[in-house]
């Protein structure tokens, strides 16, 4: 606070120089503004050089006062920046470890979530593989049983045909023996044998057709069962894929919510930073306004101080005119006007 007060006092004293220069500026403007010097002549050149010197001297003085008056302000600004940087560094030193802990915990939770998702995917894949293997085993077993049944039926049919053929051969042998024994009955026996053979063949064909129809119906039923099993497996696969998609969408939604929260936090931090910047700008504007008020009030305060000293000296006896307070006041006036 003392440094700031001293800087303001020093600035007020420096700015008083502006008033001194400005007081003589009107005379310079009236004397030299718009004047065309006859610089082609020796006298005119001398007058122009003198006029330039008369304008340059207060200009150089104003520039020097400007630099001297700004020096405390610049020093104060550097002091403010240095202190703000120091405070900021201490705050960052507190904030960064906490931020690191938060980020480490978030990363750990994210890794755990990813590991749980991976384990769940592997578990579902193992279940699906086991179910598929079981269905394939059942289908293979069903095919094996069906093939064995068809083979047994074909063997039985072949056996029946062999028996029928043996019976037919025996019948033919019997007919031949009877033909040799009874020539008269040969024609009738042949007719009966032919009719019997034809009937037997027709019956055999009928039975064979019935068997073929039965095998075709059983094969169609088996194929229908296989189609139903495949449809059920496809429906189950689609259900698992839908569940997997739902889980992935839920994970994506959680991630979107987390990113939105992070963005909101960043926006809030930016807003607070802007509020702080606005506050600093307002404080700087207030400081500039205070400096401007000091600059404007400095001549008035100096005149008031002169008047006060004059009144005190006038009213005090001559032996008290050398009081330390009056000496200090006169010194302050002299320092402000020199």
């Amino acid at each position: 606070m003392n440094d700031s007060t001293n800087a303001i006092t020093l600035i007020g004293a420096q700015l008083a120089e502006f008033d001194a220069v400005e007081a003589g500026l009107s005379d310079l403007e009236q004397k030299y503004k718009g004047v065309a010097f006859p610089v082609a002549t020796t006298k005119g050149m001398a007058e122009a050089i003198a006029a330039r010197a008369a304008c340059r001297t207060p200009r150089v003085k104003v520039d020097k006062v400007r630099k001297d008056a700004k020096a405390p302000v610049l020093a104060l600004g550097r002091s403010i920046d240095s202190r703000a940087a120091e405070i900021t560094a201490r705050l960052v030193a507190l904030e960064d470890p906490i931020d690191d802990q938060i980020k480490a915990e978030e990363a750990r939770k994210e890794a755990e979530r990813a590991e749980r998702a991976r384990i769940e995917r592997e578990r579902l894949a193992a279940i699906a593989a086991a179910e598929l293997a079981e269905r394939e085993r059942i289908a293979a077993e069903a095919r094996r049983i069906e093939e064995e049944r068809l083979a047994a039926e074909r063997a039985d049919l072949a056996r029946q045909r062999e028996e029928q053929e043996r019976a037919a051969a025996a019948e033919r042998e019997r007919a031949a023996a009877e033909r040799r024994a009874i020539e008269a009955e040969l024609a009738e026996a042949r007719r009966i044998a032919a009719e019997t053979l034809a009937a037997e063949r027709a019956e055999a064909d009928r039975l064979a057709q019935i068997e073929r129809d039965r095998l075709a119906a059983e094969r169609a039923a088996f194929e229908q069962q296989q189609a139903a099993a495949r449809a059920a497996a496809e429906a189950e696969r689609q259900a698992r894929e839908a569940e997997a998609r739902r889980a992935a969408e839920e994970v994506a939604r959680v991630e979107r919510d987390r990113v939105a929260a992070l963005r909101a936090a960043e926006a809030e931090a930016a807003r607070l930073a802007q509020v702080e910047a606005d506050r600093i700008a307002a404080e700087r504007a207030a400081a500039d306004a205070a400096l401007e008020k000091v600059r404007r009030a400095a001549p008035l305060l100096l005149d008031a101080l002169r008047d006060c000293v004059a009144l005190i000296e006038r009213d005090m006896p001559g032996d008290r005119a050398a009081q330390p307070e009056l000496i200090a006041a006169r010194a302050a006036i002299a320092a402000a006007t020199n």
Side-chain angles (χ1 to χ4, degrees):
M1 177 62 74
N2 290 334
D3 292 341
S4 301
T5 304
N6 293 335
I8 293 173
T9 302
L10 180 60
I11 292 169
Q14 295 291 342
L15 292 177
E17 296 292 337
F18 284 163
D19 297 333
V21 173
E22 191 174 10
L25 182 58
S26 298
D27 294 337
L28 291 174
E29 289 176 341
Q30 291 177 1
K31 188 174 181 180
Y32 297 120
K33 188 174 183 180
V35 175
F37 293 94
V39 294
T41 65
T42 302
K43 181 180 178 182
M45 176 61 73
E47 291 176 353
I49 292 173
R52 184 180 65 180
C55 296
R56 177 184 293 172
T57 299
R59 178 180 62 77
V60 172
K61 184 176 182 180
V62 167
D63 189 63
K64 181 178 182 302
V65 170
R66 177 185 64 80
K67 294 179 180 178
D68 293 342
K70 284 178 63 178
V73 176
L74 296 176
L76 182 60
R78 288 191 295 270
S79 176
I80 292 172
D81 292 341
S82 175
R83 189 172 181 187
E86 179 182 354
I87 294 172
T88 300
R90 293 174 63 186
L91 291 173
V92 169
L94 294 174
E95 179 185 353
D96 284 351
I98 299 173
D99 184 63
D100 292 341
Q101 296 177 34
I102 293 172
K103 290 180 178 177
E105 178 62 17
E106 290 177 348
R108 185 189 65 80
K109 290 181 178 179
E110 179 63 19
E112 288 182 353
R113 183 197 63 75
E115 180 64 16
R116 288 195 300 271
R118 183 188 65 78
I119 292 173
E120 180 63 16
R121 288 195 301 272
E122 291 180 353
R123 185 184 69 82
L124 294 175
I127 292 174
E131 291 177 350
L132 179 61
E134 179 63 18
R135 287 194 298 271
E136 290 178 351
R137 186 191 64 79
I138 292 173
E141 181 67 17
R143 286 194 299 271
R144 184 187 63 79
I145 293 172
E146 180 63 16
E147 289 173 356
E148 291 178 354
R149 185 185 65 79
L150 292 175
E153 290 180 352
R154 285 193 294 268
D156 186 62
L157 181 61
R159 182 184 57 79
Q160 292 178 4
R161 286 179 179 176
E162 289 177 358
E163 291 179 353
Q164 290 174 358
E165 289 176 356
R166 285 196 300 271
E171 181 63 23
R172 286 192 298 271
E173 291 176 359
R174 184 185 63 79
E178 290 180 353
R179 186 176 60 252
R180 288 190 302 269
I182 308 171
E183 186 66 26
E185 297 179 356
L186 182 58
E188 183 65 21
R190 287 177 178 176
R191 185 185 63 78
I192 294 172
E195 291 178 353
T196 302
L197 182 59
E200 288 175 353
R201 287 179 178 175
E203 180 64 17
D205 292 339
R206 186 182 67 82
L207 293 175
Q209 184 61 41
I210 291 173
E211 183 62 18
R212 284 193 296 272
D213 293 341
R214 184 181 67 79
L215 292 176
E218 290 180 354
R219 185 177 294 107
F222 175 74
E223 291 177 354
Q224 185 176 4
Q225 291 176 356
Q226 290 294 97
R230 286 193 297 270
E234 178 64 19
E236 185 176 359
R237 182 186 65 78
Q238 292 179 358
R240 286 197 303 272
E241 290 180 353
E243 179 62 20
R245 285 194 299 272
R246 187 196 64 75
E249 290 173 356
E250 179 63 18
V251 170
R253 184 190 64 77
V254 172
E255 180 65 14
R256 287 195 300 273
D257 293 343
R258 185 184 70 80
V259 170
L262 288 176
R263 288 179 178 173
E266 291 174 354
E268 179 63 15
R271 187 188 67 80
L272 294 176
Q274 184 61 42
V275 170
E276 181 64 14
D278 294 342
R279 183 186 66 78
I280 292 173
E283 291 179 353
R284 288 180 178 174
D288 292 342
L291 290 175
E292 180 64 20
K293 289 181 179 179
V294 169
R295 188 187 70 78
R296 292 178 179 177
L300 299 177
L301 293 175
L302 189 59
D303 292 341
L305 182 59
R306 288 197 189 100
D307 294 340
C308 290
V309 171
L311 290 174
I312 293 172
E313 289 177 343
R314 187 190 65 186
D315 295 338
M316 291 182 68
D319 58 348
R320 299 186 62 186
Q323 289 292 327
E325 293 82 359
L326 292 178
I327 293 173
R330 286 194 292 270
I333 293 172
T337 56
N338 290 332

